[in-house]
Protein backbone atom coordinates (compact mmCIF):
# COMPACT_ATOMS: atom_id res chain seq x y z
CA UNK A 1 0.00 0.00 0.00
CA UNK A 2 1.08 3.53 -0.55
CA UNK A 3 1.52 6.23 2.02
CA UNK A 4 1.56 9.99 2.02
CA UNK A 5 -0.16 13.11 3.24
CA UNK A 6 -2.74 15.39 1.73
CA UNK A 7 -3.32 19.10 2.24
CA UNK A 8 -2.11 20.09 5.68
CA UNK A 9 -5.27 22.08 6.39
CA UNK A 10 -7.36 18.94 6.01
CA UNK A 11 -5.30 16.63 8.19
CA UNK A 12 -5.41 16.12 11.93
CA UNK A 13 -3.38 13.54 13.76
CA UNK A 14 -5.56 11.92 16.41
CA UNK A 15 -4.33 10.40 19.62
CA UNK A 16 -6.05 7.16 18.77
CA UNK A 17 -5.74 5.28 15.52
CA UNK A 18 -8.42 3.46 13.67
CA UNK A 19 -6.46 0.97 11.58
CA UNK A 20 -9.44 -1.04 10.42
CA UNK A 21 -8.83 -0.27 6.75
CA UNK A 22 -5.42 -1.33 5.57
CA UNK A 23 -4.57 1.70 3.48
CA UNK A 24 -3.92 3.88 6.54
CA UNK A 25 -0.33 2.85 7.10
CA UNK A 26 1.80 5.98 7.46
CA UNK A 27 -0.59 8.23 9.30
CA UNK A 28 -4.18 8.20 10.49
CA UNK A 29 -6.34 10.95 9.04
CA UNK A 30 -9.41 12.09 10.90
CA UNK A 31 -12.52 12.20 8.73
CA UNK A 32 -13.05 15.77 7.58
CA UNK A 33 -16.31 17.40 6.48
CA UNK A 34 -15.12 18.85 3.18
CA UNK A 35 -12.05 17.27 1.63
CA UNK A 36 -11.91 18.37 -2.00
CA UNK A 37 -8.32 17.34 -2.74
CA UNK A 38 -6.81 13.92 -3.28
CA UNK A 39 -4.20 12.86 -0.75
CA UNK A 40 -0.76 11.79 -1.92
CA UNK A 41 -1.71 8.23 -0.99
CA UNK A 42 -4.71 8.36 -3.30
CA UNK A 43 -2.64 9.88 -6.09
CA UNK A 44 -0.15 7.02 -5.79
CA UNK A 45 -2.99 4.54 -5.95
CA UNK A 46 -4.52 6.24 -8.99
CA UNK A 47 -1.20 6.19 -10.84
CA UNK A 48 -0.74 2.47 -10.20
CA UNK A 49 -4.34 1.78 -11.19
CA UNK A 50 -4.06 3.72 -14.44
CA UNK A 51 -0.72 2.15 -15.38
CA UNK A 52 -1.99 -1.38 -14.88
CA UNK A 53 -5.30 -0.66 -16.60
CA UNK A 54 -3.48 0.80 -19.61
CA UNK A 55 -1.03 -2.11 -19.76
CA UNK A 56 -3.74 -4.52 -20.82
CA UNK A 57 -2.94 -6.90 -17.94
CA UNK A 58 -6.21 -6.15 -16.14
CA UNK A 59 -9.40 -7.79 -17.33
CA UNK A 60 -12.56 -5.90 -18.18
CA UNK A 61 -14.23 -7.70 -15.28
CA UNK A 62 -11.80 -6.26 -12.72
CA UNK A 63 -12.05 -2.79 -14.22
CA UNK A 64 -15.86 -2.94 -14.18
CA UNK A 65 -15.79 -4.17 -10.59
CA UNK A 66 -13.82 -1.11 -9.50
CA UNK A 67 -16.00 1.26 -11.51
CA UNK A 68 -19.16 -0.26 -10.03
CA UNK A 69 -17.84 0.01 -6.46
CA UNK A 70 -17.49 3.77 -6.79
CA UNK A 71 -21.17 4.23 -7.55
CA UNK A 72 -22.32 1.58 -5.08
CA UNK A 73 -20.49 3.28 -2.21
CA UNK A 74 -22.41 6.49 -2.85
CA UNK A 75 -25.64 4.48 -3.13
CA UNK A 76 -25.03 2.90 0.29
CA UNK A 77 -24.19 6.26 1.83
CA UNK A 78 -27.49 7.75 0.68
CA UNK A 79 -29.91 4.83 0.97
CA UNK A 80 -28.68 2.27 3.49
CA UNK A 81 -26.19 3.95 5.85
CA UNK A 82 -26.41 7.76 5.80
CA UNK A 83 -23.74 9.57 7.77
CA UNK A 84 -24.61 11.31 11.02
CA UNK A 85 -22.61 13.50 13.39
CA UNK A 86 -24.15 11.57 16.28
CA UNK A 87 -22.18 8.44 15.45
CA UNK A 88 -18.72 8.02 16.93
CA UNK A 89 -15.94 7.46 14.44
CA UNK A 90 -13.41 5.55 16.54
CA UNK A 91 -13.66 1.76 16.48
CA UNK A 92 -10.31 0.79 17.97
CA UNK A 93 -8.28 2.42 20.70
CA UNK A 94 -4.50 2.53 20.90
CA UNK A 95 -3.03 -0.79 19.84
CA UNK A 96 0.60 -1.67 19.30
CA UNK A 97 -0.18 -4.75 17.19
CA UNK A 98 -2.60 -3.25 14.67
CA UNK A 99 -0.14 -0.68 13.22
CA UNK A 100 2.34 -3.53 12.73
CA UNK A 101 -0.42 -5.57 11.12
CA UNK A 102 -1.21 -2.90 8.54
CA UNK A 103 2.48 -2.43 7.75
CA UNK A 104 2.79 -6.14 7.07
CA UNK A 105 -0.21 -5.89 4.75
CA UNK A 106 1.44 -2.95 2.97
CA UNK A 107 4.65 -4.84 2.25
CA UNK A 108 3.11 -8.22 1.49
CA UNK A 109 0.16 -6.91 -0.51
CA UNK A 110 1.61 -4.04 -2.53
CA UNK A 111 5.32 -3.32 -2.23
CA UNK A 112 6.67 -6.84 -2.75
CA UNK A 113 4.28 -7.65 -5.63
CA UNK A 114 5.25 -4.39 -7.35
CA UNK A 115 8.95 -5.28 -7.09
CA UNK A 116 8.13 -8.77 -8.35
CA UNK A 117 6.30 -7.33 -11.37
CA UNK A 118 9.08 -4.88 -12.24
CA UNK A 119 11.66 -7.64 -12.01
CA UNK A 120 9.45 -9.80 -14.22
CA UNK A 121 9.57 -7.14 -16.90
CA UNK A 122 13.37 -7.38 -16.88
CA UNK A 123 13.43 -11.19 -16.88
CA UNK A 124 10.64 -11.63 -19.42
CA UNK A 125 8.28 -13.42 -17.07
CA UNK A 126 5.07 -12.36 -18.81
CA UNK A 127 2.97 -15.06 -17.15
CA UNK A 128 3.99 -14.01 -13.65
CA UNK A 129 3.30 -10.37 -14.43
CA UNK A 130 -0.15 -11.06 -15.85
CA UNK A 131 -1.10 -13.21 -12.88
CA UNK A 132 0.02 -10.73 -10.21
CA UNK A 133 -1.29 -7.58 -11.92
CA UNK A 134 -5.02 -7.99 -11.06
CA UNK A 135 -4.27 -8.22 -7.34
CA UNK A 136 -2.13 -5.06 -7.40
CA UNK A 137 -4.72 -3.24 -9.51
CA UNK A 138 -7.57 -4.11 -7.15
CA UNK A 139 -5.58 -3.32 -4.02
CA UNK A 140 -4.61 0.10 -5.43
CA UNK A 141 -8.27 0.68 -6.29
CA UNK A 142 -9.20 -0.27 -2.73
CA UNK A 143 -6.72 2.24 -1.32
CA UNK A 144 -8.21 4.98 -3.47
CA UNK A 145 -11.77 4.05 -2.49
CA UNK A 146 -10.88 3.96 1.20
CA UNK A 147 -9.55 7.49 0.83
CA UNK A 148 -12.80 8.55 -0.82
CA UNK A 149 -14.92 7.20 2.04
CA UNK A 150 -12.66 8.52 4.80
CA UNK A 151 -14.67 11.68 5.36
CA UNK A 152 -17.70 12.59 7.42
CA UNK A 153 -19.85 12.29 4.32
CA UNK A 154 -19.66 8.51 4.74
CA UNK A 155 -20.72 6.45 7.73
CA UNK A 156 -18.71 3.67 9.35
CA UNK A 157 -20.66 0.80 7.69
CA UNK A 158 -20.12 2.38 4.28
CA UNK A 159 -16.44 2.78 5.05
CA UNK A 160 -16.10 -0.84 6.14
CA UNK A 161 -17.83 -1.99 2.96
CA UNK A 162 -14.82 -1.00 0.83
CA UNK A 163 -12.16 -3.32 2.33
CA UNK A 164 -14.68 -6.16 2.71
CA UNK A 165 -15.87 -5.77 -0.88
CA UNK A 166 -12.40 -5.56 -2.43
CA UNK A 167 -10.82 -8.15 -0.14
CA UNK A 168 -13.46 -10.69 -1.17
CA UNK A 169 -12.84 -10.01 -4.85
CA UNK A 170 -9.07 -10.19 -4.47
CA UNK A 171 -9.20 -13.68 -3.00
CA UNK A 172 -10.32 -14.93 -6.40
CA UNK A 173 -7.51 -13.12 -8.20
CA UNK A 174 -5.00 -14.41 -5.66
CA UNK A 175 -6.17 -17.98 -6.25
CA UNK A 176 -5.63 -17.48 -9.98
CA UNK A 177 -2.20 -16.00 -9.31
CA UNK A 178 -1.20 -19.03 -7.23
CA UNK A 179 -2.42 -21.46 -9.90
CA UNK A 180 -0.45 -19.58 -12.55
CA UNK A 181 2.72 -19.70 -10.45
CA UNK A 182 2.39 -23.42 -9.80
CA UNK A 183 1.89 -24.09 -13.52
CA UNK A 184 5.08 -22.25 -14.51
CA UNK A 185 8.10 -24.28 -15.60
CA UNK A 186 11.59 -23.39 -14.44
CA UNK A 187 13.65 -21.73 -17.16
CA UNK A 188 10.71 -20.71 -19.31
CA UNK A 189 9.52 -17.91 -17.05
CA UNK A 190 12.61 -16.44 -15.42
CA UNK A 191 15.11 -17.91 -12.99
CA UNK A 192 14.49 -20.62 -10.42
CA UNK A 193 14.80 -18.01 -7.69
CA UNK A 194 12.03 -15.97 -9.30
CA UNK A 195 9.87 -19.08 -9.51
CA UNK A 196 10.21 -19.67 -5.76
CA UNK A 197 9.66 -15.99 -4.94
CA UNK A 198 6.53 -15.85 -7.10
CA UNK A 199 5.01 -18.88 -5.47
CA UNK A 200 5.94 -17.63 -2.01
CA UNK A 201 4.38 -14.24 -2.67
CA UNK A 202 1.19 -15.76 -4.02
CA UNK A 203 0.85 -18.08 -1.01
CA UNK A 204 1.69 -15.31 1.48
CA UNK A 205 -0.90 -12.96 -0.02
CA UNK A 206 -3.59 -15.62 -0.20
CA UNK A 207 -3.01 -16.56 3.46
CA UNK A 208 -2.75 -12.98 4.70
CA UNK A 209 -5.81 -11.62 2.91
CA UNK A 210 -7.88 -14.69 3.73
CA UNK A 211 -7.13 -14.10 7.40
CA UNK A 212 -7.77 -10.38 6.97
CA UNK A 213 -11.27 -11.05 5.62
CA UNK A 214 -12.36 -14.03 7.72
CA UNK A 215 -10.32 -13.35 10.85
CA UNK A 216 -10.45 -9.57 11.15
CA UNK A 217 -12.84 -7.66 8.87
CA UNK A 218 -15.93 -9.88 9.16
CA UNK A 219 -15.74 -11.07 12.79
CA UNK A 220 -14.12 -7.99 14.39
CA UNK A 221 -14.18 -4.77 12.39
CA UNK A 222 -17.59 -5.08 10.75
CA UNK A 223 -19.56 -5.91 13.96
CA UNK A 224 -17.87 -3.10 15.90
CA UNK A 225 -18.61 -0.63 13.13
CA UNK A 226 -22.29 -1.58 13.09
CA UNK A 227 -22.52 -1.36 16.88
CA UNK A 228 -21.00 2.09 16.81
CA UNK A 229 -23.25 3.17 13.99
CA UNK A 230 -26.42 2.04 15.72
CA UNK A 231 -25.30 3.47 19.06
CA UNK A 232 -25.06 0.20 21.00
CA UNK A 233 -21.56 0.81 22.29
CA UNK A 234 -20.48 3.75 24.44
CA UNK A 235 -16.93 5.01 24.67
Amino acid sequence: MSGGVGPSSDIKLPKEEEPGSLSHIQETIKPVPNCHFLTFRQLNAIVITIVFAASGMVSLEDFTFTFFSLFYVFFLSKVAFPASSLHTEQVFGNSKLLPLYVWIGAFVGLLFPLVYIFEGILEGDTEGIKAAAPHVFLLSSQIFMEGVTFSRQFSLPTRVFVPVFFNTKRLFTLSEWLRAEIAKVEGEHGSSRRLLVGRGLAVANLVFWSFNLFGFLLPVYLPRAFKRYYGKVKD
Side-chain angles (χ1 to χ4, degrees):
M1 301 165 200
S2 57
V5 295
S8 58
S9 60
D10 290 335
I11 296 177
K12 298 179 181 179
L13 296 179
K15 295 182 179 180
E16 296 184 349
E17 293 184 340
E18 181 193 332
S21 58
L22 293 176
S23 68
H24 308 145
I25 57 176
Q26 292 235 352
E27 78 286 335
T28 301
I29 305 175
K30 276 203 177 228
V32 292
N34 297 303
C35 184
H36 301 292
F37 300 97
L38 296 176
T39 66
F40 188 63
R41 178 195 295 113
Q42 288 177 275
L43 290 175
N44 288 339
I46 289 177
V47 170
I48 296 174
T49 301
I50 293 176
V51 168
F52 278 88
S55 68
M57 294 185 292
V58 178
S59 66
L60 180 61
E61 177 186 351
D62 292 334
F63 186 81
T64 304
F65 178 89
T66 300
F67 192 69
F68 167 77
S69 68
L70 182 62
F71 290 96
Y72 195 64
V73 159
F74 283 95
F75 172 79
L76 288 179
S77 67
K78 299 299 181 182
V79 177
F81 307 109
S84 172
S85 59
L86 297 177
H87 303 137
T88 56
E89 298 294 337
Q90 290 293 332
V91 175
F92 299 95
N94 285 329
S95 172
K96 296 181 179 180
L97 293 179
L98 284 173
L100 176 62
Y101 177 70
V102 297
W103 271 106
I104 293 174
F107 280 94
V108 173
L110 191 61
L111 181 60
F112 291 159
L114 279 174
V115 173
Y116 174 76
I117 290 174
F118 290 145
E119 185 189 38
I121 296 175
L122 299 177
E123 293 198 16
D125 183 12
T126 56
E127 293 300 322
I129 294 174
K130 290 180 180 179
H135 161 70
V136 176
F137 171 81
L138 290 171
L139 184 54
S140 299
S141 301
Q142 175 182 333
I143 294 171
F144 170 74
M145 288 298 302
E146 286 179 354
V148 170
T149 59
F150 202 63
S151 73
R152 296 196 186 279
Q153 299 177 14
F154 297 92
S155 63
L156 275 172
T158 304
R159 198 174 304 154
V160 177
F161 163 78
V162 174
V164 171
F165 191 57
F166 276 90
N167 201 149
T168 303
K169 171 62 176 175
R170 284 190 293 106
L171 290 185
F172 293 97
T173 62
L174 288 171
S175 298
E176 294 175 359
W177 181 13
L178 180 58
R179 285 194 293 267
E181 293 291 342
I182 294 176
K184 288 196 303 185
V185 178
E186 183 178 343
E188 295 183 4
H189 304 284
S191 63
S192 58
R193 176 191 59 83
R194 177 170 174 79
L195 189 65
L196 292 176
V197 170
R199 291 175 179 175
L201 265 179
V203 170
N205 272 280
L206 184 60
V207 171
F208 181 88
W209 297 110
S210 294
F211 170 79
N212 187 62
L213 179 63
F214 298 110
F216 176 66
L217 290 177
L218 294 180
V220 180
Y221 188 42
L222 185 62
R224 290 191 182 189
F226 274 116
K227 287 179 180 178
R228 291 288 175 135
Y229 180 76
Y230 289 112
K232 295 181 179 179
V233 171
K234 296 183 179 179
D235 291 325

